[in-house]
Amino acid sequence: MSDLHVGTVDPDFWVGKRVFLTGHTGFKGSWLSLWLQQMGAHLTGFALEPPTSPSLFEQARVAQGMLSIIGDIRNCDVLANALAENEPHIVIHMAAQPLVRASYDDPVGTYATNVMGTVHLLEAVRRAPSVRAVCIVTTDKCYENREWVWGYRENEPMGGFDPYSSSKGCAELVTSAYRQSFFAGGRTAIASSRAGNVIGGGDWATDRLIPDILRAITEGKPATIRNPLAIRPWQHVLEALEGYLVLCQSLCHRPEIAADAWNFGPRDEDAQSVEWVADRLCTLWGDGARWTVDEGVQPHEARALKLDISKARALLGWQPRWSLPEALHSIVAWQRALLSGADMKAYCFEELGRFQSAVYSPAG
């Protein structure tokens, strides 16, 4: 076992760190922005306008406490100039077209954003001498899916049936090529991270299970779900974000080990079917919440998907904190707080505190 062990986020490490975050207006990016703000990082975000309305970015007033730049990662020069002007120590690349179904509607835009956007980001880093660590965020769907019952490891082949999954596999290959060609043994350490199906309060995306169910519940309608038997590695968004932050710390402390690809997923017992999650969420909400199956023809999506997180546990000391039932409970509580008129920025900060003090406990 390596002495790289970092394990958890070290707030002292982030105080005063200049961080450049792409995709800060999205669901995951908004949560990560809040976390970095809470720790005292000097944060610059670069992204398109929030992808949904409402959005966590607006509800939690994420723009307060950071420099928020509205821009498109498909524009190489604009991105490079923004990054250079802010002289970051750490770069976290999360900007993406993140939806499988949307990739069928706009494959060209999906590849332009997810593949060439990654190229543009890495080119910008090449010109920025201040950068010491880069975390490129992709997805669990980057692997060549073989419908295995065991988790994919970081050395499995890249693939992707649909344009979204394929584009993320391409982004992984781009990252590996740049790391070996331009950054090997140099000033900047580059890693990629592959998370599971992230869930959490503040997600309003379309064609995602949890937001679709919550929308239907608030409208007093039964939720319509696709592929009820599909198994996914569900995890609370803060689990994945803690993985990214721990990885960035490790890139600075032990780049010779950390500059690689990493999985951040749930424990095996939390890889559950779509219908299991829908049942549990409706039960937690109560008030007659229910779901039905969309009987229409659906585009192809993987039926079974799991991640092997042994490497991150052994070498980074990272491991999940919340079980899937606990994560779903937190989502219901977050949504009820929103409906009650709570200050959602303050509530998110409180949730971050609860998460960081938690110890994983399997729940029924």
Side-chain angles (χ1 to χ4, degrees):
M1 185 175 293
S2 166
D3 61 357
L4 178 59
H5 268 284
V6 177
T8 59
V9 175
D10 177 9
D12 292 337
F13 171 89
W14 294 95
V15 174
K17 281 288 190 304
R18 295 192 301 275
V19 181
F20 190 89
L21 171 63
T22 70
H24 70 289
T25 59
F27 165 57
K28 289 173 69 177
S30 291
W31 271 109
L32 185 54
S33 295
L34 292 171
W35 199 336
L36 288 165
Q37 289 175 32
Q38 188 183 58
M39 293 188 293
H42 293 310
L43 178 61
T44 298
F46 186 95
L48 298 175
E49 294 283 356
T52 63
S53 183
S55 68
L56 178 60
F57 185 76
E58 296 165 337
Q59 293 287 344
R61 306 188 306 282
V62 175
Q64 298 178 13
M66 66 179 295
L67 173 60
S68 174
I69 301 172
I70 300 302
D72 193 331
I73 62 170
R74 292 174 293 187
N75 189 320
C76 187
D77 291 338
V78 171
L79 174 61
N81 290 337
L83 191 147
E85 287 174 3
N86 288 280
E87 300 183 317
H89 302 117
I90 295 172
V91 175
I92 304 175
H93 179 47
M94 296 177 63
Q97 191 296 96
L99 300 173
V100 171
R101 287 168 70 90
S103 76
Y104 283 104
D105 296 331
D106 183 16
V108 174
T110 298
Y111 283 106
T113 299
N114 295 352
V115 184
M116 290 309 300
T118 302
V119 172
H120 295 163
L121 186 281
L122 291 170
E123 279 295 304
V125 169
R126 288 181 67 194
R127 306 179 209 170
S130 64
V131 179
R132 292 292 175 265
V134 181
C135 175
I136 304 292
V137 175
T138 64
T139 176
D140 57 342
K141 297 175 182 65
C142 67
Y143 294 104
E144 180 182 335
N145 192 283
R146 300 176 182 176
E147 304 292 353
W148 285 336
V149 296
W150 54 84
Y152 291 91
R153 294 168 297 179
E154 287 87 347
N155 60 356
E156 307 283 1
M158 296 293 97
F161 182 98
D162 57 87
Y164 167 73
S165 302
S166 169
S167 73
K168 286 299 194 174
C170 291
E172 284 283 351
L173 295 175
V174 165
T175 302
S176 178
Y178 266 77
R179 179 168 53 236
Q180 296 175 83
S181 299
F182 305 115
F183 297 103
R187 59 173 171 80
T188 305
I190 311 287
S192 63
S193 53
R194 306 154 184 178
N197 279 45
V198 295
I199 58 177
D203 188 1
W204 276 276
T206 56
D207 292 320
R208 276 192 183 146
L209 180 64
I210 303 296
D212 287 349
I213 291 175
L214 292 177
R215 263 189 296 269
I217 286 173
T218 56
E219 294 170 3
K221 302 175 182 177
T224 302
I225 68 173
R226 312 180 308 274
N227 305 317
L229 300 182
I231 295 173
R232 295 289 182 268
W234 311 98
Q235 63 184 147
H236 195 275
V237 61
L238 296 181
E239 305 280 14
L241 299 184
E242 181 167 49
Y244 306 159
L245 293 172
V246 167
L247 178 56
C248 288
Q249 293 170 190
S250 301
L251 285 167
C252 293
H253 294 315
R254 291 293 302 278
E256 69 277 12
I257 295 176
D260 204 350
W262 301 87
N263 287 339
F264 298 107
R267 285 175 167 82
D268 286 348
E269 62 265 27
D270 289 327
Q272 294 285 352
S273 69
V274 168
E275 67 177 2
W276 188 98
V277 172
D279 281 341
R280 180 60 64 107
L281 191 62
C282 288
T283 298
L284 284 169
W285 190 271
D287 298 330
R290 63 199 189 282
W291 59 269
T292 61
V293 177
D294 184 347
E295 301 291 352
V297 177
Q298 305 295 335
H300 176 275
E301 293 189 44
R303 291 187 60 83
L305 190 56
K306 293 183 180 180
L307 290 175
D308 185 320
I309 60 173
S310 301
K311 180 180 170 183
R313 293 172 73 172
L315 297 182
L316 300 182
W318 172 91
Q319 56 185 336
R321 292 179 180 272
W322 278 346
S323 68
L324 179 54
E326 289 171 323
L328 294 173
H329 183 272
S330 78
I331 292 170
V332 170
W334 195 98
Q335 188 73 11
R336 291 194 183 280
L338 174 70
L339 295 175
S340 72
D343 180 328
M344 295 314 294
K345 184 159 193 164
Y347 189 90
C348 287
F349 284 150
E350 292 169 5
E351 182 145 302
L352 279 163
R354 288 190 292 271
F355 173 79
Q356 292 174 86
S357 65
V359 177
Y360 185 90
S361 177

